[in-house]
Each structure stands twice: as C-alpha cells, then as structure tokens.
Amino acid sequence: IMHFLVNSLLLERLELANVGYSAADFSEDTLLLSTEDVGLDSVDALDMLVGLEKKYQLKPIDLDKDFIEQSCTSISRVLDMVLARMQQGAV
C-alpha cells in the first residue's frame, strides 16, 4: 500500500515528482495536509483517496471534509484507514 500511495498517487498522479519530491522523501511520518511537509489541499487529498478506493476495491464512502482531515493528516493515518477498511470487509 505504501509503495502504491507514494509512487503511483503522490509522485505520479498528484505530480509531486514535478516539484522535486522523490520516494525517499516519504515515510509513514510524512504529514500530508500540513504545509510543513507536503501540503496537499482537499482536492488532492480527495483524488488520493479515490485512487486508493479504486486500487484496493474499497466500497465508496462519503469522503467529506471531516473524513479527509481525520484520515489524511499523515501517511501512517492513510495506511491505517485503508487497512481498517479492508479488514472491515469494505472490499
């Protein structure tokens, strides 16, 4: 999940490679919404979440502002959310 998230979604789909990021710049502690790290906006975060839903065949849920702010603060939070949804049978 980490590899897909970083390489396919963050670097390619959201084009962070074009602004100087590489896979080595990301760890589970990387902050996604904070401007101190990556600084994704809500549209980028939504695009990332939809990409994860499609890749892992997760049942679509309401991806509202509160969900994004709770689930996308860091890479580890995103990974935890995907794993939890997979374990809940939301696939």
Side-chain angles (χ1 to χ4, degrees), residues 11-25:
L11 294 176
E12 291 177 26
R13 186 173 182 150
L14 298 181
E15 301 179 348
L16 293 180
N18 294 348
V19 293
Y21 284 97
S22 72
D25 295 318

Side-chain angles (χ1 to χ4, degrees), residues 18-46:
N18 294 348
V19 293
Y21 284 97
S22 72
D25 295 318
F26 297 95
S27 71
E28 289 191 15
D29 295 328
T30 301
L31 301 175
L32 295 174
L33 302 178
S34 171
T35 55
E36 294 174 23
D37 264 339
V38 179
L40 296 182
D41 62 23
S42 59
V43 173
D44 288 336
L46 182 61

Side-chain angles (χ1 to χ4, degrees), residues 1 4-5 10 18 22 30 33 38 40 43 54 57-59 64 68-69 72-73 78:
I1 299 172
F4 176 76
L5 174 62
L10 296 176
N18 294 348
S22 72
T30 301
L33 302 178
V38 179
L40 296 182
V43 173
K54 287 181 181 180
Q57 300 176 340
L58 301 173
K59 180 180 173 187
D64 62 11
I68 290 171
E69 288 176 356
C72 298
T73 55
V78 172

